[in-house]
Amino acid sequence: METVDEFKQVQSVTKRRVFYIPGYDPIHPRRYRELFRKEGADQAKISGYKFDLEAKKEGGAYGWHASTDIDGQHTDAHVDVLIWSDIVRASMSNSIPATYMQLLRTAYAYISTGALFRLMRLRKGPIIAALYPIGMLLVQLLLAVVAGAILSGLVLWGLTAMFGGLLNLTAQVPLLEALGNRLSLEFWSAFFLLIFGIGLILRAVIWIGVAVYILRWFKKKDGKFFAYYLMHDFAYSARWMGANPPALEDRMAEFGDVIAAALHDDVDEVLVVGHSSGAHLAVSILADLIRAGRVPETGPKLAFLSLGQVVPMVSFLPKADRLRRDLHDLSASDALIWVDVTAPGDGCAFALCDPVSVSGVEPAGKKWPLVFSAAFTQTLSPERWRELRWRFFRLHFQYLCAFDRPNDYDYFQITAGPVTLYDRYHDRKQSWTRIDVAASGYTSMS
């Protein structure tokens, strides 16, 4: 593994356009700008270079400007972000019952197609992550039902005890006993049924009320549990069985036009970064541009960096024909370099799984992606690793953050540093532990 000191090359970039495609995230991309600002400053301090970030002043896509000074080499980067957080928010069920309906539909989609069992043969981590929201939501429902049953049962028991006490009081007080004897058996039967009916109704109301309260409490605290968020994430792909909804296709086409225009700018490199679910969106956008002949041979270097990808979660579904075609075409293209970085420590990604090969669409002349690990256990200090080890969601974003023991992977040098992705990695060896065996049950391509 190369270290930072071993990795020094001649400057090949002074100006770069970066296009960042986030994963399934309902929050506006300004969070990624602030993450870039904070973590970039931390990485620069650790690695000994200068890093600056400024807000974007011109119009167009949301983004920012970044610059670095590394070993006397100055580089400017203009970052644009694909905004689809509004589409994500629109896809999220606002009601609790709708979320549980999503749970049933998603489970059916992955189980009935056999995708779940095929995915399990690749990596257990992301499948555990996929099953986690299902399990957590079912546990929440069970706790709500049991708590409601116990509290409502106590109320019914109390009413029964009160009625029994009334009867005992009637028997012990002569005046009440005489009054009771004058009342007919039919009256007491009707009275008992009335009290019992009221008790059952009251129990049902309390049962439902307690259950609803508990479920709402869990939903309110989902910032800690991530059950609803992850359920919506997996349900989004399952709903369309691997296809992209029209609104997302339109947004991808618009962003593709922006990238195509940048390929005619006076820059040295156009770098597309796709993180998590954003990786397979980037695959399709780039494949469209290349097939349409919109990548000039004499323009800037075109590069694609996929981080923490979850491509198989989509490509293994029956209607992912478009994505499988895009993976097939992009992996054999001479128009770009594609580097795929994951890490076994990231339990949410399909770590070191070649997204093309495992999807069963590897072409004869396959060139990409170059697959290697960010090696969290080596690039993070033991103290930092212990701090983050069980924060699975945070680790899924580590690729976009600072490493306190960096090797040749430095997100901020890649996006704002003086070396192209090609010059940095074209002769790097792939990870020998990568998984490149076809595993998908669906390999049709549109």
Side-chain angles (χ1 to χ4, degrees), residues 335-399:
L336 83 171
I337 178 176
W338 175 7
V339 174
D340 180 68
V341 181
T342 52
D346 175 11
C348 297
F350 281 87
L352 302 180
C353 291
D354 185 316
V356 178
S357 299
V358 300
S359 299
V361 292
E362 179 178 323
K366 179 177 178 291
K367 298 180 176 65
W368 316 113
L370 188 157
V371 178
F372 70 88
S373 174
F376 292 167
T377 57
Q378 300 173 45
T379 53
L380 295 171
S381 64
E383 297 77 18
R384 186 65 171 151
W385 173 243
R386 281 194 296 270
E387 180 184 346
L388 297 176
R389 184 174 184 179
W390 303 111
R391 296 173 59 188
F392 302 114
F393 197 66
R394 167 60 177 79
L395 280 174
H396 190 48
F397 284 83
Q398 180 58 41
Y399 312 96

Side-chain angles (χ1 to χ4, degrees), residues 75-145:
T75 309
D76 292 307
H78 177 116
V79 183
D80 290 314
V81 183
L82 169 60
I83 297 179
W84 63 298
S85 53
D86 56 324
I87 298 175
V88 171
R89 287 193 298 273
S91 74
M92 289 181 156
S93 301
N94 291 321
S95 71
I96 293 172
T99 300
Y100 279 91
M101 286 301 299
Q102 280 190 338
L103 183 155
L104 294 175
R105 286 197 302 265
T106 303
Y108 175 78
Y110 279 98
I111 293 173
S112 65
T113 61
L116 177 64
F117 309 105
R118 294 178 181 277
L119 289 167
M120 289 177 69
R121 289 198 282 267
L122 291 180
R123 286 287 184 187
K124 298 297 188 293
I127 300 307
I128 293 173
L131 294 176
Y132 164 77
I134 295 176
M136 177 57 77
L137 288 172
L138 290 177
V139 167
Q140 292 176 10
L141 180 61
L142 178 63
L143 289 174
V145 170

Side-chain angles (χ1 to χ4, degrees), residues 13 22 29 37 46 53 55 73 78 105-106 148 168 175 187 261 304 334 364 404 415:
V13 179
R37 181 197 305 276
I46 292 167
L53 185 145
Q73 301 169 331
H78 177 116
R105 286 197 302 265
T106 303
N168 289 333
L175 181 61
F187 171 82
F304 173 34
D334 291 319
D404 55 357
T415 53

Side-chain angles (χ1 to χ4, degrees), residues 205-217:
V205 170
I206 294 174
W207 193 337
I208 294 172
V210 170
V212 169
Y213 175 83
I214 292 175
L215 289 174
R216 285 180 174 175
W217 183 87

Side-chain angles (χ1 to χ4, degrees), residues 70-305:
I70 301 173
D71 297 327
Q73 301 169 331
H74 182 81
T75 309
D76 292 307
H78 177 116
V79 183
D80 290 314
V81 183
L82 169 60
I83 297 179
W84 63 298
S85 53
D86 56 324
I87 298 175
V88 171
R89 287 193 298 273
S91 74
M92 289 181 156
S93 301
N94 291 321
S95 71
I96 293 172
T99 300
Y100 279 91
M101 286 301 299
Q102 280 190 338
L103 183 155
L104 294 175
R105 286 197 302 265
T106 303
Y108 175 78
Y110 279 98
I111 293 173
S112 65
T113 61
L116 177 64
F117 309 105
R118 294 178 181 277
L119 289 167
M120 289 177 69
R121 289 198 282 267
L122 291 180
R123 286 287 184 187
K124 298 297 188 293
I127 300 307
I128 293 173
L131 294 176
Y132 164 77
I134 295 176
M136 177 57 77
L137 288 172
L138 290 177
V139 167
Q140 292 176 10
L141 180 61
L142 178 63
L143 289 174
V145 170
V146 170
I150 292 173
L151 289 176
S152 61
L154 289 174
V155 170
L156 186 61
W157 175 82
L159 287 174
T160 303
M162 183 179 68
F163 183 73
L166 180 61
L167 291 179
N168 289 333
L169 179 64
T170 302
Q172 294 173 9
V173 179
L175 181 61
L176 293 177
E177 182 179 11
L179 178 62
N181 289 335
R182 290 187 178 184
L183 298 174
S184 65
L185 179 62
E186 290 80 5
F187 171 82
W188 284 113
S189 298
F191 183 69
F192 175 78
L193 290 174
L194 177 63
I195 295 298
F196 186 73
I198 292 174
L200 288 179
I201 294 173
L202 188 58
R203 180 180 186 182
V205 170
I206 294 174
W207 193 337
I208 294 172
V210 170
V212 169
Y213 175 83
I214 292 175
L215 289 174
R216 285 180 174 175
W217 183 87
F218 275 119
K219 187 169 189 263
K220 185 178 180 181
K221 298 294 183 179
D222 199 57
K224 296 182 179 295
F225 300 111
F226 296 108
Y228 282 83
Y229 167 74
L230 290 173
M231 188 71 259
H232 296 321
D233 188 353
F234 296 123
Y236 187 72
S237 298
R239 178 185 177 186
W240 304 93
M241 285 292 186
N244 292 323
L248 183 56
E249 284 284 358
D250 291 343
R251 197 67 57 86
M252 291 162 61
E254 293 172 3
F255 203 62
D257 290 339
V258 179
I259 296 173
L263 288 167
H264 294 277
D265 284 352
D266 181 23
V267 296
D268 303 300
E269 182 183 44
V270 171
L271 172 65
V272 178
V273 180
H275 174 249
S276 191
S277 301
H280 71 259
L281 303 186
V283 166
S284 293
I285 291 171
L286 289 168
D288 283 346
L289 291 177
I290 293 171
R291 282 193 297 260
R294 303 179 72 183
V295 179
E297 294 183 4
T298 57
K301 294 279 188 181
L302 177 60
F304 173 34
L305 176 66

Side-chain angles (χ1 to χ4, degrees), residues 427-438:
D427 58 353
R428 193 193 199 282
K429 293 181 180 179
Q430 300 211 62
S431 173
W432 65 273
T433 58
R434 72 187 185 282
I435 300 173
D436 56 5
V437 178

